[in-house]
Amino acid sequence: MNKLWWLFLALGLQLSAFGLAQYPRTLTDDLGRSVTLKAVPKRLVAMLPSLTETVCAMNACARVVGVDDYSNFPESVGKLPKVGGLYNPNLEAILALKPDLVLVSTYGKLQEPLEKAGVQTFALKVESYDDIARTTRLLGQILDLRGEAERVVSKVQQEVYAVEAKAAATKDRPSVYYEIDPTPYTAGPDSFIGVLIGKARGVNIVPKELGAFPQISPELVVQKNPAVIVVTHPGAADLKKRSGWGGIRAVQTGRGCDFSSRTDDDLLSRPGPRVAQGLQLLVNCFHGK
């Protein structure tokens, strides 16, 4: 029985390698829908930058025929048609590309008009650090590239571990305030960014119970008196002008980082294959490493 099982396994791997894996294939997307793929998807539209990056990291960029307005990596996707964003998708532009599958966010409800138009969709939720590996493996099943998916997951984990190890070499664990916009919105400990702060050996000043991306009172920052401030919007120079902020340690010592450039903000906000680069930005900021 064992020999027969191994024979079937070997045959299955060979079929997958030659693109002859068994279809139809039914998978459950992140909206809880059962999606049956009749064949290996060959014409993809990706409606989230993190999905675009992950598909390309799996050496399947050639299958992508269109992307959302914010997908900009790798450089080659800049030549692809842009089909709108999460809340302003260009349905006509998507349909004109004749995709056999559109990778959509669980938000925005783009799947409804596309399905009515006869275009298959698969909804994915890419928000947390753990979603990186989970989504990559799910894309491996969707695209019949499980080996490539595992390669990407392993590479990401190794890169993140290497950066974490450098951060762990320091005894310093600074308190950190991370500002997304001057409203101010910030990132809680359980958010993707919050997890990166922890991996970079920072201590987030935002209470966990406020949620993943809360809008907070500026007085809370004054009260918590962080040692480091990270800003991802233009306006870092104006922090000291805010009421009471001149006395914050990070403002007094100039210990802060401006990551408002598009490249830096992308690295820090996208749960995808370049996560280790975003983590390295924070480690450099917190510890100068």
Side-chain angles (χ1 to χ4, degrees):
M1 179 64 73
N2 285 340
K3 289 183 179 179
L4 186 61
W5 186 88
W6 280 109
L7 179 62
F8 281 128
L9 177 60
L11 179 61
L13 290 174
Q14 289 177 5
L15 290 174
S16 179
F18 286 99
L20 299 174
Q22 186 176 359
Y23 282 84
R25 174 177 295 175
T26 300
L27 300 169
T28 302
D29 74 0
D30 287 343
L31 287 174
R33 303 180 305 161
S34 292
V35 179
T36 300
L37 303 171
K38 296 179 181 179
V40 180
K42 294 294 180 66
R43 293 184 61 82
L44 295 170
V45 170
M47 294 302 296
L48 282 175
S50 54
L51 297 179
T52 301
E53 293 193 20
T54 304
V55 171
C56 289
M58 293 165 58
N59 293 320
C61 226
R63 300 195 201 181
V64 182
V65 297
V67 294
D68 71 288
D69 288 349
Y70 299 99
S71 287
N72 56 4
F73 188 89
E75 187 176 346
S76 60
V77 306
K79 301 175 183 177
L80 294 173
K82 302 289 187 180
V83 294
L86 180 61
Y87 297 109
N88 63 335
N90 187 330
L91 187 61
E92 290 184 0
I94 296 172
L95 296 176
L97 296 172
K98 298 181 179 179
D100 49 25
L101 184 67
V102 179
L103 301 172
V104 301
S105 167
T106 52
Y107 304 103
K109 299 184 178 180
L110 179 58
Q111 69 278 1
E112 295 175 5
L114 283 174
E115 296 282 347
K116 287 181 180 179
V119 176
Q120 194 164 40
T121 64
F122 199 97
L124 291 159
K125 185 176 183 180
V126 196
E127 293 183 351
S128 70
Y129 178 81
D130 290 339
D131 282 340
I132 298 173
R134 183 188 65 81
T135 301
T136 301
R137 290 187 170 114
L138 191 49
L139 284 170
Q141 294 182 65
I142 293 168
L143 303 177
D144 196 29
L145 293 172
R146 297 187 188 190
E148 283 292 315
E150 289 302 326
R151 177 189 61 79
V152 172
V153 170
S154 177
K155 182 174 183 288
V156 168
Q157 290 174 341
Q158 290 175 16
E159 290 175 347
V160 168
Y161 178 78
V163 178
E164 279 188 283
K166 285 194 291 185
T170 179
K171 295 181 180 179
D172 188 23
R173 296 210 66 181
S175 55
V176 177
Y177 169 62
Y178 189 106
E179 185 167 285
I180 297 170
D181 74 28
T183 312
Y185 272 95
T186 184
D190 288 341
S191 67
F192 168 66
I193 294 168
V195 171
L196 293 190
I197 290 172
K199 287 182 176 296
R201 304 282 289 180
V203 179
N204 197 331
I205 67 164
V206 178
K208 180 178 179 179
E209 57 269 19
L210 293 183
F213 294 103
Q215 182 180 19
I216 62 169
S217 164
E219 287 75 22
L220 175 64
V221 184
V222 176
Q223 176 189 346
K224 294 292 185 178
N225 194 22
V228 178
I229 293 179
V230 176
V231 176
T232 59
H233 64 83
D238 296 329
L239 296 180
K240 60 186 177 183
K241 300 176 183 178
R242 296 179 185 178
S243 178
W245 282 48
I248 295 175
R249 279 183 294 166
V251 175
Q252 289 184 332
T253 61
R255 195 175 175 188
C257 293
D258 180 350
F259 292 136
S260 59
S261 74
R262 178 69 182 269
T263 299
D264 290 347
D265 191 24
D266 287 349
L267 290 174
L268 288 165
S269 62
R270 294 180 182 175
R274 295 190 292 161
V275 59
Q277 295 179 48
L279 177 59
Q280 184 65 65
L281 288 177
L282 294 181
V283 172
N284 291 345
C285 177
F286 299 169
H287 310 293
K289 290 183 177 291

PDB file of all heavy atoms in Angstrom, residues 204-220:
ATOM      1  N   ASN A 204       5.223  49.399  20.875  1.00  0.00           N
ATOM      2  CA  ASN A 204       4.177  50.282  20.380  1.00  0.00           C
ATOM      3  C   ASN A 204       3.447  50.950  21.547  1.00  0.00           C
ATOM      4  O   ASN A 204       3.013  50.271  22.481  1.00  0.00           O
ATOM      5  CB  ASN A 204       3.182  49.460  19.544  1.00  0.00           C
ATOM      6  CG  ASN A 204       2.305  50.307  18.654  1.00  0.00           C
ATOM      7  OD1 ASN A 204       2.014  51.463  18.964  1.00  0.00           O
ATOM      8  ND2 ASN A 204       1.854  49.742  17.556  1.00  0.00           N
ATOM      9  N   ILE A 205       3.310  52.272  21.479  1.00  0.00           N
ATOM     10  CA  ILE A 205       2.643  52.977  22.580  1.00  0.00           C
ATOM     11  C   ILE A 205       1.122  52.878  22.503  1.00  0.00           C
ATOM     12  O   ILE A 205       0.427  53.219  23.459  1.00  0.00           O
ATOM     13  CB  ILE A 205       3.038  54.470  22.612  1.00  0.00           C
ATOM     14  CG1 ILE A 205       2.481  55.206  21.379  1.00  0.00           C
ATOM     15  CG2 ILE A 205       4.546  54.648  22.747  1.00  0.00           C
ATOM     16  CD1 ILE A 205       2.492  56.712  21.504  1.00  0.00           C
ATOM     17  N   VAL A 206       0.586  52.417  21.379  1.00  0.00           N
ATOM     18  CA  VAL A 206      -0.868  52.384  21.186  1.00  0.00           C
ATOM     19  C   VAL A 206      -1.466  51.175  21.899  1.00  0.00           C
ATOM     20  O   VAL A 206      -1.037  50.044  21.643  1.00  0.00           O
ATOM     21  CB  VAL A 206      -1.221  52.335  19.687  1.00  0.00           C
ATOM     22  CG1 VAL A 206      -2.731  52.261  19.490  1.00  0.00           C
ATOM     23  CG2 VAL A 206      -0.651  53.558  18.972  1.00  0.00           C
ATOM     24  N   PRO A 207      -2.433  51.363  22.772  1.00  0.00           N
ATOM     25  CA  PRO A 207      -3.065  50.237  23.467  1.00  0.00           C
ATOM     26  C   PRO A 207      -3.752  49.279  22.490  1.00  0.00           C
ATOM     27  O   PRO A 207      -4.396  49.711  21.534  1.00  0.00           O
ATOM     28  CB  PRO A 207      -4.093  50.912  24.373  1.00  0.00           C
ATOM     29  CG  PRO A 207      -3.582  52.303  24.557  1.00  0.00           C
ATOM     30  CD  PRO A 207      -2.935  52.663  23.256  1.00  0.00           C
ATOM     31  N   LYS A 208      -3.582  48.017  22.733  1.00  0.00           N
ATOM     32  CA  LYS A 208      -4.111  46.971  21.866  1.00  0.00           C
ATOM     33  C   LYS A 208      -5.610  47.085  21.678  1.00  0.00           C
ATOM     34  O   LYS A 208      -6.146  46.848  20.595  1.00  0.00           O
ATOM     35  CB  LYS A 208      -3.751  45.610  22.461  1.00  0.00           C
ATOM     36  CG  LYS A 208      -4.231  44.407  21.682  1.00  0.00           C
ATOM     37  CD  LYS A 208      -3.763  43.134  22.349  1.00  0.00           C
ATOM     38  CE  LYS A 208      -4.251  41.910  21.595  1.00  0.00           C
ATOM     39  NZ  LYS A 208      -3.758  40.647  22.240  1.00  0.00           N
ATOM     40  N   GLU A 209      -6.309  47.463  22.743  1.00  0.00           N
ATOM     41  CA  GLU A 209      -7.778  47.488  22.700  1.00  0.00           C
ATOM     42  C   GLU A 209      -8.344  48.568  21.776  1.00  0.00           C
ATOM     43  O   GLU A 209      -9.530  48.558  21.458  1.00  0.00           O
ATOM     44  CB  GLU A 209      -8.353  47.669  24.103  1.00  0.00           C
ATOM     45  CG  GLU A 209      -7.885  48.901  24.849  1.00  0.00           C
ATOM     46  CD  GLU A 209      -6.644  48.662  25.685  1.00  0.00           C
ATOM     47  OE1 GLU A 209      -5.929  47.666  25.420  1.00  0.00           O
ATOM     48  OE2 GLU A 209      -6.386  49.462  26.603  1.00  0.00           O
ATOM     49  N   LEU A 210      -7.510  49.499  21.307  1.00  0.00           N
ATOM     50  CA  LEU A 210      -7.988  50.533  20.396  1.00  0.00           C
ATOM     51  C   LEU A 210      -8.169  50.018  18.968  1.00  0.00           C
ATOM     52  O   LEU A 210      -8.763  50.702  18.133  1.00  0.00           O
ATOM     53  CB  LEU A 210      -7.031  51.734  20.400  1.00  0.00           C
ATOM     54  CG  LEU A 210      -6.959  52.538  21.704  1.00  0.00           C
ATOM     55  CD1 LEU A 210      -6.032  53.737  21.538  1.00  0.00           C
ATOM     56  CD2 LEU A 210      -8.347  52.989  22.139  1.00  0.00           C
ATOM     57  N   GLY A 211      -7.627  48.830  18.678  1.00  0.00           N
ATOM     58  CA  GLY A 211      -7.827  48.243  17.359  1.00  0.00           C
ATOM     59  C   GLY A 211      -6.594  48.308  16.480  1.00  0.00           C
ATOM     60  O   GLY A 211      -5.518  48.761  16.901  1.00  0.00           O
ATOM     61  N   ALA A 212      -6.763  47.855  15.233  1.00  0.00           N
ATOM     62  CA  ALA A 212      -5.625  47.734  14.324  1.00  0.00           C
ATOM     63  C   ALA A 212      -5.128  49.084  13.815  1.00  0.00           C
ATOM     64  O   ALA A 212      -3.923  49.353  13.792  1.00  0.00           O
ATOM     65  CB  ALA A 212      -5.986  46.828  13.150  1.00  0.00           C
ATOM     66  N   PHE A 213      -6.056  49.949  13.383  1.00  0.00           N
ATOM     67  CA  PHE A 213      -5.666  51.254  12.833  1.00  0.00           C
ATOM     68  C   PHE A 213      -6.575  52.341  13.410  1.00  0.00           C
ATOM     69  O   PHE A 213      -7.435  52.877  12.719  1.00  0.00           O
ATOM     70  CB  PHE A 213      -5.747  51.237  11.302  1.00  0.00           C
ATOM     71  CG  PHE A 213      -4.758  50.306  10.662  1.00  0.00           C
ATOM     72  CD1 PHE A 213      -5.160  49.080  10.180  1.00  0.00           C
ATOM     73  CD2 PHE A 213      -3.420  50.659  10.563  1.00  0.00           C
ATOM     74  CE1 PHE A 213      -4.251  48.205   9.600  1.00  0.00           C
ATOM     75  CE2 PHE A 213      -2.493  49.799   9.983  1.00  0.00           C
ATOM     76  CZ  PHE A 213      -2.910  48.569   9.512  1.00  0.00           C
ATOM     77  N   PRO A 214      -6.385  52.679  14.670  1.00  0.00           N
ATOM     78  CA  PRO A 214      -7.291  53.641  15.322  1.00  0.00           C
ATOM     79  C   PRO A 214      -6.922  55.092  15.048  1.00  0.00           C
ATOM     80  O   PRO A 214      -5.764  55.430  14.797  1.00  0.00           O
ATOM     81  CB  PRO A 214      -7.103  53.314  16.804  1.00  0.00           C
ATOM     82  CG  PRO A 214      -5.674  52.876  16.893  1.00  0.00           C
ATOM     83  CD  PRO A 214      -5.416  52.109  15.620  1.00  0.00           C
ATOM     84  N   GLN A 215      -7.950  55.924  15.107  1.00  0.00           N
ATOM     85  CA  GLN A 215      -7.714  57.367  15.162  1.00  0.00           C
ATOM     86  C   GLN A 215      -7.619  57.716  16.640  1.00  0.00           C
ATOM     87  O   GLN A 215      -8.514  57.395  17.418  1.00  0.00           O
ATOM     88  CB  GLN A 215      -8.851  58.138  14.500  1.00  0.00           C
ATOM     89  CG  GLN A 215      -8.637  59.645  14.496  1.00  0.00           C
ATOM     90  CD  GLN A 215      -9.773  60.397  13.823  1.00  0.00           C
ATOM     91  OE1 GLN A 215     -10.869  59.865  13.670  1.00  0.00           O
ATOM     92  NE2 GLN A 215      -9.520  61.621  13.423  1.00  0.00           N
ATOM     93  N   ILE A 216      -6.536  58.367  17.033  1.00  0.00           N
ATOM     94  CA  ILE A 216      -6.305  58.593  18.455  1.00  0.00           C
ATOM     95  C   ILE A 216      -6.273  60.080  18.777  1.00  0.00           C
ATOM     96  O   ILE A 216      -6.237  60.927  17.892  1.00  0.00           O
ATOM     97  CB  ILE A 216      -4.985  57.947  18.916  1.00  0.00           C
ATOM     98  CG1 ILE A 216      -3.798  58.586  18.175  1.00  0.00           C
ATOM     99  CG2 ILE A 216      -5.010  56.439  18.723  1.00  0.00           C
ATOM    100  CD1 ILE A 216      -2.451  58.209  18.738  1.00  0.00           C
ATOM    101  N   SER A 217      -6.274  60.379  20.055  1.00  0.00           N
ATOM    102  CA  SER A 217      -6.129  61.755  20.520  1.00  0.00           C
ATOM    103  C   SER A 217      -4.642  62.116  20.541  1.00  0.00           C
ATOM    104  O   SER A 217      -3.815  61.323  21.018  1.00  0.00           O
ATOM    105  CB  SER A 217      -6.714  61.894  21.926  1.00  0.00           C
ATOM    106  OG  SER A 217      -6.280  63.094  22.534  1.00  0.00           O
ATOM    107  N   PRO A 218      -4.262  63.294  20.037  1.00  0.00           N
ATOM    108  CA  PRO A 218      -2.853  63.713  20.097  1.00  0.00           C
ATOM    109  C   PRO A 218      -2.315  63.731  21.522  1.00  0.00           C
ATOM    110  O   PRO A 218      -1.118  63.539  21.738  1.00  0.00           O
ATOM    111  CB  PRO A 218      -2.882  65.116  19.491  1.00  0.00           C
ATOM    112  CG  PRO A 218      -4.091  65.133  18.615  1.00  0.00           C
ATOM    113  CD  PRO A 218      -5.101  64.282  19.328  1.00  0.00           C
ATOM    114  N   GLU A 219      -3.231  63.953  22.484  1.00  0.00           N
ATOM    115  CA  GLU A 219      -2.808  63.983  23.888  1.00  0.00           C
ATOM    116  C   GLU A 219      -2.281  62.632  24.358  1.00  0.00           C
ATOM    117  O   GLU A 219      -1.451  62.549  25.262  1.00  0.00           O
ATOM    118  CB  GLU A 219      -3.973  64.430  24.789  1.00  0.00           C
ATOM    119  CG  GLU A 219      -4.308  65.905  24.698  1.00  0.00           C
ATOM    120  CD  GLU A 219      -5.044  66.270  23.403  1.00  0.00           C
ATOM    121  OE1 GLU A 219      -5.649  65.358  22.787  1.00  0.00           O
ATOM    122  OE2 GLU A 219      -5.010  67.454  23.012  1.00  0.00           O
ATOM    123  N   LEU A 220      -2.767  61.550  23.721  1.00  0.00           N
ATOM    124  CA  LEU A 220      -2.295  60.211  24.094  1.00  0.00           C
ATOM    125  C   LEU A 220      -0.807  60.076  23.806  1.00  0.00           C
ATOM    126  O   LEU A 220      -0.058  59.496  24.596  1.00  0.00           O
ATOM    127  CB  LEU A 220      -3.078  59.129  23.330  1.00  0.00           C
ATOM    128  CG  LEU A 220      -2.608  57.687  23.549  1.00  0.00           C
ATOM    129  CD1 LEU A 220      -2.808  57.271  25.002  1.00  0.00           C
ATOM    130  CD2 LEU A 220      -3.340  56.727  22.617  1.00  0.00           C
TER     131      LEU A 220
END
